Amino acid sequence: MNSVTVLGLGSMGFTIARLFLQRGRRVTVWNRSAAKADALVASGATLAATAADAVRSSDLIVMCVYDYTAANDILRMPGVAQALAGKVLVQWTTGSPQEARDALAWASRQGAGYLDGAIQAAPSQMGQADTPVLLSGDPAVYASVQETLKDLAGNIAFLGKKIEAAATMDLATLSYVYGATAGFIHGALIAETQGLDVGVFGKLVADISPTFGSFFKHEGAVIQSGDFTISESPMRISIEATRRILQSSQASGINAEIPAFLDGLFQRAEKAGLADQELAALIKVVRSRPDAAGRRPVRDGAAGVIAATA
Ligand SMILES: NC(=O)c1ccc[n+]([C@@H]2O[C@H](COP(=O)([O-])OP(=O)(O)OC[C@H]3O[C@@H](n4cnc5c(N)ncnc54)[C@H](OP(=O)(O)O)[C@@H]3O)[C@@H](O)[C@H]2O)c1
């Protein structure tokens, strides 16, 4: 599609519009604060007077605003719903799985094709061959816009027709990122307390990150297969490592809440008899919520509850 409309010109929407312009597309833009379009207009974009005019101008509408409340405010503006009929709306505003389901239902009622997504890169990282973004929705709709969207990101993970897949995988990857962030911060505390250069620690983390990415890809496949026979990393090693981090932190008198949480999880794995399984078996510890007595059952697939830890 050579004509594209971009709704929302915050830091990400502006970058999206700029990349489309740089790739030679005919770009129409609209933003609540019109002045943010000035630089784009100077580079050849057309600023629409209303959101409805912007939608009418192209068959592909890409939207990226602060949140779904903002997106819904724009989509409910006069004339927008009618203008969307027969068009494709790609929603790259970050949202929840339920917001994705609601948005598909609404867009379908307007007769629009709808893809829901999440951007997993900063604006300065957009437009590269390896820029990672997520999308889900009707595969035929995706096929119709795939080439155009490659202007924005070379690494589009299309997750299939479950509309909430992109938002769900975005939550899952953010969970990984913030879990790792907590560990990183405690690591920085350990280094700093010993008078070591925390910048060097950051570099060491960067050096091991590609290897850990491959490792987690393997652990994901293990969980998906349900076969927790040791294949890469026995749980026992991690039980001992997390205990060592906690005990060393306590011994040096630093805040130990992050390692205490991790050690608690791994202790429960040990009590449940998971020490001689693959590390990924830790998921058995967190699959169940505490029961009425505050005990946390550990489930092991077809075997059902194998232990209940305090
Ligand atoms: N920036 C990043 O690093 C990054 C990375 C990955 C994903 N994302 C996602 O991309 C989306 C956009 O982020 P951003 O960084 O571009 O945000 P931003 O710079 O804060 O821009 C927010 C955009 O939303 C619009 N907006 C907010 N409330 C509105 C409302 N009630 N009605 C109409 N428009 C409204 C703003 O319009 P005005 O200009 O008129 O205020 C602006 O266009 C977010 O969902 C974010 O999670 C961002």
Side-chain angles (χ1 to χ4, degrees):
M1 288 176 182
N2 200 40
S3 321
V4 189
T5 285
V6 179
L7 296 178
L9 301 174
S11 26
M12 191 56 86
F14 183 93
T15 303
I16 287 171
R18 186 173 48 76
L19 285 167
F20 279 138
L21 279 172
Q22 286 170 353
R23 304 294 193 274
R25 311 271 176 205
R26 193 168 65 76
V27 180
T28 302
V29 295
W30 180 87
N31 191 57
R32 179 180 62 176
S33 313
K36 287 194 185 163
D38 289 352
L40 294 165
V41 170
S43 307
T46 302
L47 173 63
T50 65
D53 286 348
V55 172
R56 272 190 286 273
S57 301
S58 317
D59 288 334
L60 170 60
I61 324 299
V62 175
M63 187 164 199
C64 189
V65 290
Y66 185 70
D67 59 11
Y68 273 69
T69 304
N72 289 335
D73 282 353
I74 296 166
L75 293 172
R76 270 65 171 177
M77 284 177 174
V80 171
Q82 295 83 341
L84 272 171
K87 312 221 164 186
V88 173
L89 172 61
V90 175
Q91 181 60 271
W92 252 320
T93 300
T94 305
S96 71
Q98 186 57 47
E99 285 170 325
R101 284 189 286 266
D102 293 345
L104 172 66
W106 181 85
S108 302
R109 285 199 297 278
Q110 317 316 320
Y114 181 76
L115 298 174
D116 198 272
I119 293 178
Q120 301 197 303
S124 64
Q125 297 166 326
M126 294 295 289
Q128 307 298 314
D130 59 353
T131 303
V133 297
L134 309 179
L135 272 180
S136 47
D138 183 337
V141 173
Y142 175 60
S144 71
V145 296
Q146 180 179 12
E147 279 312 308
T148 311
L149 297 181
K150 279 190 183 156
D151 291 358
L152 308 177
N155 182 6
I156 302 177
F158 179 66
L159 300 170
K161 75 176 204 233
K162 226 180 199 192
I163 195 67
E164 63 272 38
T168 305
M169 285 300 195
D170 190 48
L171 275 183
T173 48
L174 284 175
S175 168
Y176 164 70
V177 167
Y178 288 108
T181 301
F184 174 81
I185 293 299
H186 188 75
L189 184 63
I190 292 175
E192 163 181 279
T193 307
Q194 296 302 320
L196 296 175
D197 185 330
V198 182
V200 170
F201 168 63
K203 182 188 175 303
L204 295 174
V205 170
D207 290 347
I208 65 170
S209 292
T211 315
F212 267 86
S214 302
F215 174 69
F216 286 122
K217 194 168 160 190
H218 173 76
E219 297 301 292
V222 166
I223 294 171
Q224 186 64 33
S225 75
D227 178 0
F228 292 92
T229 310
I230 293 170
S231 50
E232 282 282 358
S233 181
M235 178 83 74
R236 182 176 301 288
I237 291 178
S238 294
I239 291 169
E240 276 157 23
T242 47
R243 188 174 292 143
R244 199 163 59 245
I245 299 166
L246 176 63
Q247 289 174 349
S248 303
S249 299
Q250 288 168 334
S252 55
I254 62 175
N255 180 308
E257 59 197 301
I258 294 169
F261 168 73
L262 292 174
D263 178 67
L265 286 180
F266 280 98
Q267 272 187 36
R268 283 160 57 199
E270 187 174 36
K271 280 187 198 144
L274 303 177
D276 291 320
Q277 295 192 17
E278 180 65 16
L279 171 62
L282 190 64
I283 196 164
K284 297 175 187 179
V285 170
V286 297
R287 271 183 179 143
S288 305
R289 289 182 295 181
D291 62 19
R295 286 153 48 92
R296 286 173 279 215
V298 175
R299 292 178 196 282
D300 195 357
V305 175
I306 55 170
T309 59

